[in-house]
């Protein structure tokens, strides 16, 4: 795409229970106050640090891709238990655990022992999107919390930022999510930031990147590995704290921060879908909601499986 076109666009498996047991009305009698409790904490957390909304959505994503949406990611390591927090995609990267702890405390005051950490994470992710200007939806709930975690699953199932389109599509398909879902859910990168270690190779080595944009990002991300690894840059160049469709507008100008971002607009099968989201933010919002609901359905623990953790970081 030439620079004129770019300007025009800018101005332009398991023993787990079936998902049918999840319901938007699961807590209507047992804990109707859960939603206000979660929203109140999320509003405060995002008011304190707007990045926290994106971090919470990412927590949900990284949780659901490993053993399903079961809050396994929230478990701390112990002397006898290896969780997922130290796996490569999560170590030094996923954040917001303290906010989930605060929500859990607030919910326990309203209805002790009723709401799972897995459901809290699902509701908090939805609220984060809404608070930052994105679409609303009714969250299906009724999940229970796992008593296990998978370090290897976290390393193998979560798409790395170096992924090409085929790998992205394959990893999402393994979770029952289509390529269309993958492109829509990638739009979560319209909020939040990424670390230099995750975009260094893209801004120094790739050719499908705007030169000026690459040089701007290089200025805060030294070429040498280990130097400035944790320096941050916005995933959405324009409005990193507002949930809208600018992420896709950046892609058509070769201004995707991650290699995996730019792969979904790189002369391939997903280009038309990206263009449709540029043309219609409502279409993006609708597909994003569909993707979030489908992701929330990934192999939940329900019924008598799992437990309702008293502390999201520890098994009861």
């Amino acid at each position: 795409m030439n620079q004129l076109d770019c300007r025009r666009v800018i101005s332009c498996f398991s023993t787990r229970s079936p998902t049918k047991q999840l319901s938007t009305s699961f807590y209507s009698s047992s804990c109707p106050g859960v939603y206000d409790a979660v929203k109140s904490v999320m509003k405060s957390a995002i008011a304190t640090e707007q990045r926290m909304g994106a971090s919470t959505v990412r927590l949900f994503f990284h949780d659901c891709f490993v053993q399903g949406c079961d809050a396994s990611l929230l478990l701390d390591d112990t002397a006898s238990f290896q969780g997922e927090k130290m796996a490569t995609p999560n170590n030094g990267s996923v954040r917001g655990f303290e906010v989930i702890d605060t929500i859990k405390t607030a919910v326990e005051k309203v209805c002790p022992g009723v709401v799972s950490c897995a459901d809290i994470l699902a509701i908090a992710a939805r609220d984060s999107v809404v608070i930052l200007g994105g679409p609303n939806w009714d969250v299906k709930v009724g999940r229970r919390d796992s008593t296990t975690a998978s370090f290897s699953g976290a390393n193998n199932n979560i798409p790395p930022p170096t992924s090409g389109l085929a790998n992205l599509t394959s990893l999402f398909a393994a979770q029952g999510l289509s390529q269309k879902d993958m492109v829509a859910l990638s739009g979560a990168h319209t909020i939040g930031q990424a670390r230099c270690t995750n975009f260094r190779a893209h801004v120094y080595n790739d050719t499908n990147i705007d030169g000026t944009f690459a040089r701007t990002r290089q200025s805060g991300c030294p070429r040498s590995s280990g130097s400035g690894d944790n320096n941050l840059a916005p995933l959405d160049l324009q409005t990193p704290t507002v949930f809208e469709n600018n992420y896709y507008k950046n892609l058509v100008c070769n201004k995707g921060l991650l290699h995996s971002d730019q792969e979904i607009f790189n002369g391939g099968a997903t280009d038309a879908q990206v263009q449709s989201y540029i043309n219609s933010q409502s279409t993006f919002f609708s597909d994003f909601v569909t993707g979030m609901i489908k992701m929330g359905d990934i192999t939940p623990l329900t019924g008598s499986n799992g437990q309702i953790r008293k502390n999201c970081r520890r098994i009861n």
Side-chain angles (χ1 to χ4, degrees), residues 2 25 50 60-61 68 76 78 80 91 96 111 125 140 165 173 220 231 233 253 270 279 301-302:
N2 62 37
S25 60
Q50 287 186 301
F60 183 56
F61 169 61
D76 284 343
T78 69
S80 58
N91 188 15
C111 35
K140 291 201 284 186
L165 181 61
N231 292 352
C253 298
T270 54
N279 296 333
L301 293 165
T302 58

Side-chain angles (χ1 to χ4, degrees), residues 56-280:
T56 303
V57 174
R58 189 161 180 259
L59 274 179
F60 183 56
F61 169 61
H62 281 221
D63 180 49
C64 290
F65 265 56
V66 184
Q67 299 190 162
C69 308
D70 62 358
S72 59
L73 175 57
L74 304 182
L75 291 168
D76 284 343
D77 288 0
T78 69
S80 58
F81 180 88
Q82 183 181 41
E84 298 165 15
K85 291 181 178 177
M86 294 299 108
T88 299
N90 298 329
N91 188 15
S93 177
V94 290
R95 58 196 297 277
F97 298 108
E98 296 80 5
V99 173
I100 302 302
D101 293 340
T102 301
I103 294 173
K104 178 64 172 175
T105 299
V107 171
E108 287 295 302
K109 288 180 180 177
V110 176
C111 35
V114 174
V115 181
S116 67
C117 299
D119 278 346
I120 283 173
L121 191 51
I123 298 166
R126 185 274 310 273
D127 288 347
S128 296
V129 171
V130 174
I131 291 166
L132 294 176
N136 197 0
W137 66 95
D138 293 329
V139 178
K140 291 201 284 186
V141 287
R143 301 170 189 83
R144 289 167 65 85
D145 299 322
S146 69
T147 57
T148 62
S150 179
F151 182 84
S152 62
N155 277 325
N156 295 324
N157 298 356
I158 298 169
T162 54
S163 295
L165 181 61
N167 191 45
L168 288 170
T169 301
S170 175
L171 288 170
F172 274 75
Q175 303 297 334
L177 298 167
S178 68
Q179 187 177 71
K180 180 178 181 181
D181 297 325
M182 181 271 292
V183 176
L185 289 169
S186 294
H189 284 181
T190 192
I191 52 175
Q193 301 185 64
R195 297 185 300 155
C196 163
T197 188
N198 287 328
F199 62 81
R200 176 183 283 118
H202 180 50
V203 300
Y204 281 102
N205 302 332
D206 286 350
T207 57
N208 60 339
I209 184 169
D210 177 82
T212 300
F213 174 72
R215 287 188 292 274
T216 297
R217 289 294 162 250
Q218 289 169 8
S219 67
C221 182
R223 183 185 290 271
S224 301
S225 179
S227 178
D229 281 0
N230 292 322
N231 292 352
L232 297 170
L235 286 158
D236 176 355
L237 175 67
Q238 298 161 323
T239 49
T241 60
V242 180
F243 197 100
E244 25 69 321
N245 64 347
N246 277 341
Y247 164 79
Y248 299 103
K249 296 178 182 179
N250 293 329
L251 297 185
V252 302
C253 298
N254 286 342
K255 294 180 180 180
L257 182 63
L258 304 178
H259 176 85
S260 55
D261 287 330
Q262 196 58 58
E263 278 291 296
I264 69 172
F265 191 87
N266 194 35
T270 54
D271 285 10
Q273 187 178 347
V274 171
Q275 290 282 10
S276 74
Y277 294 162
I278 292 169
N279 296 333
S280 172

